[in-house]
């Protein structure tokens, strides 16, 4: 019989290092490696991704926290000392993505890099990081769905350790972390298998394909979760944002194909690699 997984991976003196942090660190390294590897093929220097990482990751967490606090303002307005207590939980991935996008646009402007190509290059890595990150939620027994039965979980042919981890205070819950992780893995495999084929993606469309795929997955998974943020107490914020995001990105996809006619993704940045700047 499997025991519940301890969220603490190991101790460094008085410091407790949690599995969630370990998993997120591995996810960031994986995303960076994927971006650097693909960036070289698209004539973008490795240093650009490292420099972007140093800005985007911390500011992305700030954005994720601000987003969460905004939609839980009823609580944080009464407990302002808890606003910065991110170690107690409370971040939202959409907030992180919004902050990261702003950082990238400013970064590309400063470095004179094509933003859509940069987004194309890094988005599969972001997707891979999200896939791994959900397993941190699994270990923390958070971001799960509503109550279910042991029979239902067994009917999904899940490994025993997942079933046992989904038993919280004597109640079994829907493994929504797993649904999101697996469906995003399918999307990642599709995107990776298509992005190097000729005349499939224009620049910006790898990124937009990721956004549309993720928004659909998140829309349906969010409907099963028990920890959603709400507007007016009835509308799930992530579902509304997913719907807006899908429609907006689809419109942009079609508009750019018809009106803008960007060059193909495989054409790269057009810069000679390696290159120098003043």
């Amino acid at each position: 019989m499997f025991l519940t997984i301890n969220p603490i991976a190991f101790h460094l003196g008085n410091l407790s290092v949690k599995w969630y942090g370990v998993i997120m660190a591995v996810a960031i390294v994986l995303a960076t490696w994927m971006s650097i590897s693909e960036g070289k093929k698209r004539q973008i220097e490795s240093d650009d991704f490292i420099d972007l990482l140093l800005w985007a990751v911390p500011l992305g967490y700030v954005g994720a926290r601000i987003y969460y606090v905004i939609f839980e303002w009823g609580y944080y307005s009464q407990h302002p000392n808890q606003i910065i207590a991110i170690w107690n939980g409370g971040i939202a991935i959409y907030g992180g993505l919004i902050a990261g996008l702003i950082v990238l646009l400013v970064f590309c402007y400063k470095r004179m890099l094509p933003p859509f190509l940069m987004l194309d290059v890094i988005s599969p890595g972001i997707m891979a990081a999200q896939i791994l990150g959900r397993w941190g939620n699994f270990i923390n027994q958070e971001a799960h769905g509503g109550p279910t039965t042991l029979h239902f979980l067994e009917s999904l042919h899940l490994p025993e350790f997942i079933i046992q981890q989904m038993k919280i205070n004597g109640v079994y819950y829907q493994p929504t972390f797993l649904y999101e992780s697996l469906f995003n893995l399918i999307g990642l495999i599709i995107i990776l298998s298509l992005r190097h084929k000729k005349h499939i993606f224009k620049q910006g469309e790898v990124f937009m394909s990721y956004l549309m795929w993720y928004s659909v997955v998140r829309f349906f998974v969010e409907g099963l979760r028990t920890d959603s943020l709400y507007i007016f107490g009835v509308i799930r914020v992530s579902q509304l944002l997913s719907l807006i995001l899908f429609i907006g990105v689809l419109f942009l996809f079609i508009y750019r194909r018809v009106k803008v006619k960007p060059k193909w993704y495989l054409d790269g940045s057009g810069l000679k690699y390696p290159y120098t700047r003043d």
Side-chain angles (χ1 to χ4, degrees), residues 21 24 46 57 78 88 99 134 147 160 171 174 190 201 226 230 262:
M24 291 309 301
S46 302
V57 170
Q78 301 299 316
N88 291 331
R134 282 304 177 202
E160 185 66 19
V171 178
Q174 290 268 7
I190 293 172
F201 290 121
T226 60
Y230 285 88

Side-chain angles (χ1 to χ4, degrees), residues 9-42:
F10 56 89
H11 295 274
L12 291 175
N14 294 326
L15 177 66
S16 298
V17 179
K18 295 187 177 181
W19 278 113
Y20 185 89
V22 173
I23 290 172
M24 291 309 301
V26 172
I28 291 170
V29 171
L30 174 61
T32 304
W33 173 78
M34 291 175 64
S35 299
I36 290 174
S37 178
E38 180 65 14
K40 291 179 179 179
K41 301 172 185 176
R42 308 280 81 81

Side-chain angles (χ1 to χ4, degrees), residues 116-180:
F116 273 116
L117 181 60
M118 283 288 287
L119 288 167
D120 283 340
V121 171
I122 69 172
S123 53
I126 293 173
M127 203 171 189
Q130 289 176 263
I131 292 167
L132 280 178
R134 282 304 177 202
W135 288 87
N137 297 137
F138 162 69
I139 292 177
N140 284 350
Q141 295 182 310
E142 61 191 9
H144 54 71
T148 186
T149 64
L150 174 62
H151 175 72
F152 174 79
L153 295 178
E154 290 177 338
S155 71
L156 298 179
H157 304 289
L158 299 176
E160 185 66 19
F161 78 94
I162 292 181
I163 293 177
Q164 290 305 315
Q165 193 70 4
M166 286 294 96
K167 187 178 182 181
I168 305 170
N169 297 325
V171 178
Y172 290 98
Y173 289 91
Q174 290 268 7
T176 47
F177 87 94
L178 182 63
Y179 303 156
E180 185 172 325

Side-chain angles (χ1 to χ4, degrees), residues 57-70 91-100:
V57 170
L59 292 178
Y61 273 101
V62 172
R65 181 60 172 179
I66 291 174
Y67 183 100
Y68 184 86
V69 169
I70 287 173
I91 58 175
I93 190 169
Y94 271 132
L97 291 176
I98 293 170

Side-chain angles (χ1 to χ4, degrees), residues 68-278:
Y68 184 86
V69 169
I70 287 173
F71 289 105
E72 288 287 353
W73 186 242
Y75 171 81
Y76 288 104
S77 63
Q78 301 299 316
H79 304 85
N81 61 312
Q82 291 293 309
I83 290 177
I84 63 171
I86 193 172
W87 50 88
N88 291 331
I91 58 175
I93 190 169
Y94 271 132
L97 291 176
I98 293 170
L101 177 61
I102 293 172
V103 171
L104 182 138
L105 292 176
V106 174
F107 183 86
C108 288
Y109 175 78
K110 294 289 187 180
R111 293 288 179 94
M112 296 178 292
L113 290 167
F116 273 116
L117 181 60
M118 283 288 287
L119 288 167
D120 283 340
V121 171
I122 69 172
S123 53
I126 293 173
M127 203 171 189
Q130 289 176 263
I131 292 167
L132 280 178
R134 282 304 177 202
W135 288 87
N137 297 137
F138 162 69
I139 292 177
N140 284 350
Q141 295 182 310
E142 61 191 9
H144 54 71
T148 186
T149 64
L150 174 62
H151 175 72
F152 174 79
L153 295 178
E154 290 177 338
S155 71
L156 298 179
H157 304 289
L158 299 176
E160 185 66 19
F161 78 94
I162 292 181
I163 293 177
Q164 290 305 315
Q165 193 70 4
M166 286 294 96
K167 187 178 182 181
I168 305 170
N169 297 325
V171 178
Y172 290 98
Y173 289 91
Q174 290 268 7
T176 47
F177 87 94
L178 182 63
Y179 303 156
E180 185 172 325
S181 185
L182 287 179
F183 280 108
N184 279 335
L185 178 60
I186 294 171
L188 178 61
I189 292 171
I190 293 172
I191 289 173
L192 291 179
S193 66
L194 293 178
R195 71 173 175 175
H196 289 161
K197 295 186 179 297
K198 291 184 177 180
H199 299 161
I200 296 291
F201 290 121
K202 297 277 191 174
Q203 288 192 13
E205 292 178 355
V206 173
F207 169 65
M208 287 187 281
S209 296
Y210 150 68
L211 285 182
M212 286 190 289
W213 184 279
Y214 177 70
S215 63
V216 171
V217 172
R218 184 59 186 269
F219 180 88
F220 288 103
V221 171
E222 189 69 22
L224 299 173
R225 286 176 54 168
T226 60
D227 61 342
S228 298
L229 300 173
Y230 285 88
I231 299 176
F232 309 123
V234 293
I235 302 174
R236 295 177 191 255
V237 175
S238 289
Q239 281 192 317
L240 177 61
L241 186 55
S242 293
L243 184 61
I244 294 172
L245 185 64
F246 180 85
I247 295 173
V249 173
L250 180 60
F251 174 81
L252 181 61
F253 190 105
I254 296 172
Y255 174 80
R256 293 180 78 246
R257 276 275 175 154
V258 175
K259 296 292 186 179
V260 180
K261 302 185 187 301
K263 62 181 181 179
W264 296 105
Y265 169 70
L266 294 181
D267 290 343
S269 68
L271 298 172
K272 185 178 181 181
Y273 181 85
Y275 55 92
T276 59
R277 304 185 184 87
D278 296 332

